[in-house]
Amino acid sequence: MKRKQLFALVTVALAFVFALVMSDARTYAQGQFPGYKSTIQTYNMSETTANIILAFYRQDGSLEKTLTDIIERDRSKIYFTLPVNEGFSGSVVISSDQPVAALSNMMNSALTAGGTYVGRSEGSTSVYLPLLMVNSNGFNSWFALQNPNPSSTNVTVNYSDGITTSINLAAYASHNFYQKQEPHTSNVFAAEVTSDEPVVVVAFLEDTKTLAAYHGFASGAVSPAMPLVNSNNNGFYTDIHIQNTGDADTSVTVSYQPSASGTSCTETQTVAAGQTVTFARDAFQNGSNSTCTGGERFIGSGNVTTNSASQPLAAVVTQRAGSPSLIQFAAYSSFDPDEATQAVRLPSVMDRNSGFFTSVNVMNVGSSETAVECTFTDTTYTVTGTLQPNETLTDLQANRIQSGYVGGAACTAQADGAKIVAVVNQLKTDATDDQFLVYEGINQ
């Protein structure tokens, strides 16, 4: 019997008519945009045609629509228009008879800001959110929680600033939590979601011009890895928000390794139990708590090399450019090296696709040197390199493959027992609004 995989994606496509959304409190998104629109991309990671079913559920758990489709082997299919009624807000569960992956792009209804996240193959009864905000330099957050199970579940959210809230979710139901509506005492904080049944959570960070997304963590890692860190890089800088999901304070050292620019350095801070501390930006801006050279251009990776109390850690990595002429914002989730594999699939790679291009960042999270090769669908273009432990191979696809290219990539480490992870940046050339998206590669 073939194993069925379920990918839970929280999707929102609120009313596209601004006047209706703004005037109707029942459909108004309590985020900072008047409306939202989702797209879904599915990717068949097998060598056999995949039969898939997309089941769309309203927030109350009732079924809105099902869609049956096929995806050819090693191919993607993008659903720009979802088969739901205008004003739909809810979730989707994707089932398949072959291994598939799924991405969702969440855009504001004007398509001037967006974030990408990867669907989860299973839920968890504990989910951690390292970065949430209320009125933090213009940023607020909200998160969507989905019950992908055929039975109801009780859910409790414990925030690190002491706020607690609980709800009951019906089978297949979803719920949006808007932090600006909650009585928080801090501007930046973390959360732990606990549930009787496994749930899936995705968080959104936004101001009035930009939007980013990341998925919640089912568990922390003692030594999380971050394949892409950049600072003082054409206006871009990185923040690494590390949450201690354990029960004891710990001293954390992050080591930074350059791939395209910069010098190796380290940064050390104490992260209290249940709290989140921000790394990277101040280290590269002014050398705070680190051996880094303030103001130096850096493009590379980071990983936790010291965790004094061996506490589980979860990290959200945000990248932002905030100059008046370039406003971009994106986020991705850190990786647990223990869960890494020898191969990574990248469902969406582009070169000059209506102005969009990608960059691929592959990190060796194993303990030995390994050669790495990335191949791209429907082209002879390849990327190769030899990586020491914790080094990253960075490749920019702009003007490298062919104009209008849209495809996928597969990266493989050659050494026996090697482990790699990857993230992909998607950016639009000369964009004046937030056309910056990031997603995590899918380990296989």
Side-chain angles (χ1 to χ4, degrees):
M1 177 179 292
K2 294 177 179 177
R3 181 167 62 97
K4 176 180 285 188
Q5 291 196 343
L6 295 179
F7 283 82
L9 291 166
V10 179
T11 65
V12 181
L14 298 181
F16 302 125
V17 181
F18 289 178
L20 172 62
V21 174
M22 293 296 288
S23 63
D24 188 342
R26 292 170 299 171
T27 59
Y28 174 57
Q30 299 300 320
Q32 297 193 201
F33 296 105
Y36 298 83
K37 174 180 172 59
S38 291
T39 65
I40 296 173
Q41 179 175 351
T42 53
Y43 178 57
N44 182 359
M45 299 191 295
S46 77
E47 295 301 315
T48 304
T49 298
N51 297 285
I52 67 170
I53 299 174
L54 294 86
F56 295 86
Y57 294 95
R58 305 179 189 98
Q59 284 200 320
D60 64 5
S62 59
L63 184 65
E64 168 89 0
K65 180 77 172 182
T66 59
L67 174 65
T68 301
D69 208 346
I70 63 171
I71 312 174
E72 301 300 325
R73 65 182 185 89
D74 196 30
R75 288 293 183 272
S76 293
K77 184 165 287 189
I78 303 175
Y79 302 93
F80 289 106
T81 302
L82 304 181
V84 295
N85 292 320
E86 185 174 325
F88 172 81
S89 180
S91 60
V92 60
V93 174
I94 303 174
S95 58
S96 172
D97 60 358
Q98 300 296 327
V100 298
L103 307 177
S104 181
N105 288 340
M106 172 73 80
M107 309 293 294
N108 68 341
S109 51
L111 305 183
T112 59
T116 298
Y117 64 94
V118 178
R120 313 307 293 163
S121 59
E122 58 184 1
S124 176
T125 54
S126 293
V127 180
Y128 299 95
L129 300 170
L131 178 61
L132 299 170
M133 297 180 285
V134 172
N135 297 324
S136 176
N137 296 317
F139 277 88
N140 289 285
S141 64
W142 58 282
F143 63 88
L145 187 150
Q146 179 188 12
N147 176 14
N149 305 289
S151 58
S152 65
T153 186
N154 294 306
V155 176
T156 299
V157 182
N158 290 302
Y159 295 99
S160 63
D161 63 354
I163 303 300
T164 298
T165 185
S166 299
I167 63 168
N168 178 269
L169 270 186
Y172 302 114
S174 57
H175 183 79
N176 297 341
F177 294 80
Y178 300 97
Q179 280 65 71
K180 196 172 182 179
Q181 295 181 345
E182 300 163 343
H184 289 285
T185 57
S186 302
N187 298 115
V188 181
F189 43 91
E192 179 184 3
V193 178
T194 57
S195 176
D196 297 335
E197 299 290 336
V199 295
V200 177
V201 184
V202 60
F204 302 94
L205 314 170
E206 56 189 25
D207 62 7
T208 58
K209 294 183 178 181
T210 64
L211 171 64
Y214 71 89
H215 64 73
F217 292 80
S219 62
V222 174
S223 303
M226 291 71 68
L228 178 59
V229 176
N230 66 133
S231 193
N232 306 306
N233 179 31
N234 296 320
F236 280 89
Y237 61 85
T238 295
D239 285 329
I240 302 174
H241 310 274
I242 299 180
Q243 179 187 10
N244 178 353
T245 66
D247 56 8
D249 298 354
T250 188
S251 177
V252 173
T253 296
V254 177
S255 296
Y256 302 104
Q257 293 281 351
S259 61
S261 182
T263 306
S264 298
C265 61
T266 61
E267 177 183 8
T268 301
Q269 298 190 64
T270 297
V271 186
Q275 300 298 312
T276 295
V277 172
T278 300
F279 286 70
R281 178 166 52 167
D282 286 347
F284 288 107
Q285 293 295 311
N286 54 41
S288 295
N289 302 306
S290 74
T291 63
C292 303
T293 301
E296 181 183 41
R297 181 172 183 252
F298 183 89
I299 303 172
S301 61
N303 67 296
V304 171
T305 51
T306 300
N307 180 349
S308 64
S310 299
Q311 295 299 288
L313 308 174
V316 172
V317 183
T318 58
Q319 300 175 80
R320 181 169 174 83
S323 67
S325 61
L326 183 63
I327 301 174
Q328 308 282 355
F329 185 46
Y332 72 87
S333 299
S334 64
F335 295 85
D336 182 350
D338 289 341
E339 297 179 357
T341 58
Q342 203 164 337
V344 177
R345 295 295 189 102
L346 311 174
S348 180
V349 175
M350 295 176 285
D351 177 10
R352 290 162 285 172
N353 175 39
S354 299
F356 279 93
F357 64 93
T358 54
S359 68
V360 171
N361 306 272
V362 184
M363 182 178 183
N364 175 10
V365 295
S367 57
S368 303
E369 174 186 286
T370 184
V372 174
E373 180 180 48
C374 297
T375 59
F376 298 77
T377 56
D378 301 320
T379 177
T380 58
Y381 182 74
T382 60
V383 176
T384 60
T386 298
L387 300 178
Q388 298 299 320
N390 302 317
E391 284 189 335
T392 297
L393 173 65
T394 298
D395 183 71
L396 189 70
Q397 283 74 63
N399 304 310
R400 297 279 184 88
I401 303 176
Q402 64 186 43
S403 181
Y405 177 80
V406 179
C411 298
T412 305
Q414 306 300 314
D416 290 341
K419 295 182 176 183
I420 57 174
V421 296
V423 295
V424 178
N425 277 4
Q426 306 171 83
L427 187 64
K428 188 175 184 179
T429 303
D430 298 327
T432 56
D433 50 24
D434 182 22
Q435 302 296 320
F436 181 31
L437 306 167
V438 180
Y439 71 88
E440 301 91 358
I442 294 98
N443 283 88
Q444 188 180 25

